Amino acid sequence: MKRLTLIILAACALIMLLAASDLPDWADPASPASSHLSPGFVEQAYEATHTPNVVTAVLADYRGYDTMFETVVVFLAALIIMIILRRTPHRRFCKILPHRPQRQGRDTVLKGAAQLIIPVMQVFALYVLGHGHYSPGGGFQGGVIFGASFILLALCYNLEFTINRFRERIVLLCCAGGALLYAGVGALCLAMGWNFLGYAALAGILGVSEAMARSHGILLVEVGVGITVMAVMVSIYYDLASGGDMREGL
Amino acid sequence: MDELFPFIIAKYNYWASLILLFIGLYGMIAKNNLMKKIIGMVIFQTAILLFYVSIGVKRGGTIPILEFGADHQPLLDATAYANPLPHVLMLTAIVVGVGTLGVALTILQKIQRVHGTIEEDEVLEDLRQ
């Protein structure tokens, strides 16, 4: 069976590798992927959105619907994981967990390092999120770094220690709140008489030009994406590390 | 051999991602352990990410963040920057990949809890009884 799979896949791979010779050359500036839509993005994005980082402008403005539903997909993943794994009855859903005595003196270096690294990580995550217009970064990256700081805390101390500081109830509120912030910005634009996620509608509220309003709109939805991604990372870790009962972790 | 080598070098980005893709597909089909199937799925996803990002590269192009000249005006030359579109698509795909990986690991934990094993044939045997 394994041999048969190997033969079939090798045949498929051979066909695809031969077909690869018809694909454009490596780093060819005139390749089809780089010659139709993308020059337009590079040349017009700054004038339209005042965002030097073209990736951010395309992500949150031109492809705003796509990013919004990606955020919803990530949010749904966190919900599904919780539904599948949850074992505790509903009533102790947000109860404060009893504090288990910490192991003392065995991992001083680990905890000291965590205390040093985690605040720096969180500030860096906010920088990556806020500076996404001008440098590589944005909501997804900043959110993942921020979520990783909580996971590092849970790994270096223990899961209960982290849950007592960042309750699951608040984590889930953040999950939903970020997606809601994104959709809310879109709905606000709709209420101002523009298209859904047409950030130029915010020019009147913010008192800036339309291109600058699009820049601010991108920042608002990136914050929404960052909050959702951060909370989803933490939620997935809580559920997977404890097998759904939120008591003992790794 | 002298002809084959330049043939591979000319398109080596596609060769690398296709070989990774088939390693992942083989893992998903042939392995019996469900955890290894998930690892195969992740390799498969990574191959597609590499494929898209390699499409976006332009010779002489820097990262798609506009550079400003001395007069504070951005340099708006499309050939000077890499193609931003594959980067956008893969940025969201990476995060959704983490979501699917989380759901896959969750289902794996549930299977382990119900059947006591993550070997595919043993799970099927358990289901038949």
Side-chain angles (χ1 to χ4, degrees):
Chain A
M1 187 63 198
K2 273 189 181 179
R3 195 162 294 166
L4 184 67
T5 313
L6 197 61
I7 292 167
I8 292 172
L9 284 180
C12 292
L14 197 66
I15 293 168
M16 284 183 78
L17 288 173
L18 289 176
S21 60
D22 291 336
L23 287 169
D25 281 338
W26 161 253
D28 182 11
S31 68
S34 304
S35 57
H36 294 290
L37 206 53
S38 89
F41 282 136
V42 173
E43 282 154 14
Q44 293 161 18
Y46 186 72
E47 202 184 332
T49 63
H50 274 310
T51 305
N53 187 345
V54 185
V55 173
T56 305
V58 176
L59 180 84
D61 194 314
Y62 293 98
R63 297 183 62 88
Y65 278 69
D66 181 26
T67 310
M68 188 176 99
F69 285 105
E70 301 278 5
T71 314
V72 173
V73 165
V74 171
F75 171 59
L76 284 179
L79 281 191
I80 290 167
I81 288 168
M82 208 177 60
I83 291 167
I84 293 177
L85 274 184
R86 181 67 45 168
R87 276 194 294 203
T88 46
H90 184 77
R91 59 190 158 73
R92 57 178 302 277
F93 184 63
C94 52
K95 202 171 127 190
I96 299 171
L97 295 160
H99 195 67
R100 196 194 291 164
Q102 304 264 316
R103 288 183 302 158
Q104 288 294 329
R106 289 181 59 189
D107 35 17
T108 317
V109 175
L110 196 61
K111 287 180 179 175
Q115 280 176 1
L116 282 176
I117 290 170
I118 287 169
V120 179
M121 259 176 99
Q122 293 184 341
V123 171
F124 181 69
L126 293 178
Y127 161 76
V128 168
L129 202 162
H131 212 251
H133 286 50
Y134 304 99
S135 65
F140 286 105
Q141 298 91 322
V144 168
I145 298 172
F146 210 96
S149 73
F150 286 107
I151 294 174
L152 184 66
L153 186 69
L155 285 173
C156 291
Y157 287 73
N158 58 26
L159 192 64
E160 280 182 23
F161 183 85
T162 312
I163 290 179
N164 281 335
R165 275 152 189 80
F166 197 30
R167 298 273 158 62
E168 210 203 356
R169 186 192 168 100
I170 302 171
V171 174
L172 292 176
L173 276 177
C174 286
C175 280
L180 207 62
L181 175 61
Y182 201 138
V185 172
L188 185 63
C189 300
L190 200 62
M192 299 293 289
W194 283 65
N195 290 329
F196 190 72
L197 293 174
Y199 310 127
L202 304 174
I205 302 174
L206 298 168
V208 289
S209 68
E210 284 192 357
M212 208 58 209
R214 286 173 80 167
S215 177
H216 291 321
I218 290 172
L219 181 63
L220 277 176
V221 301
E222 290 271 18
V223 169
V225 169
I227 293 172
T228 300
V229 170
M230 177 270 291
V232 165
M233 291 298 141
V234 176
S235 171
I236 289 177
Y237 179 79
Y238 281 0
D239 282 311
L240 277 180
S242 66
D245 59 8
M246 297 286 154
R247 248 182 262 144
E248 76 237 48
L250 294 171
Chain B
M1 200 63 199
D2 285 344
E3 286 176 16
L4 186 65
F5 205 60
F7 180 72
I8 295 174
I9 287 295
K11 316 277 177 187
Y12 72 96
N13 55 327
Y14 304 116
W15 281 72
S17 52
L18 280 174
I19 288 168
L20 267 181
L21 190 127
F22 278 99
I23 289 172
L25 199 60
Y26 176 78
M28 280 167 79
I29 295 172
K31 290 293 172 188
N32 191 38
N33 188 312
L34 294 173
M35 190 70 207
K36 289 179 181 168
K37 277 184 192 286
I38 291 177
I39 294 172
M41 187 185 79
V42 175
I43 294 173
F44 191 93
Q45 280 178 349
T46 312
I48 292 169
L49 301 182
L50 275 177
F51 179 73
Y52 267 75
V53 170
S54 76
I55 281 177
V57 178
K58 281 184 207 162
R59 190 168 290 111
T62 173
I63 53 171
I65 296 173
L66 301 180
E67 285 176 356
F68 287 81
D71 54 349
H72 297 288
Q73 288 301 309
L75 172 67
L76 294 176
D77 178 16
T79 55
Y81 304 106
N83 186 353
L85 206 52
H87 292 255
V88 174
L89 298 176
M90 290 310 104
L91 182 60
T92 47
I94 289 168
V95 177
V96 171
V98 171
T100 52
L101 177 63
V103 173
L105 288 174
T106 308
I107 294 172
L108 196 63
Q109 271 198 15
K110 191 78 176 177
I111 289 172
Q112 207 276 335
R113 202 181 286 166
V114 173
H115 298 290
T117 173
I118 54 169
E119 300 290 332
E120 193 186 14
D121 51 352
E122 291 172 24
V123 172
L124 288 174
E125 193 126 329
D126 198 45
L127 281 173
R128 277 196 210 97
Q129 285 164 4

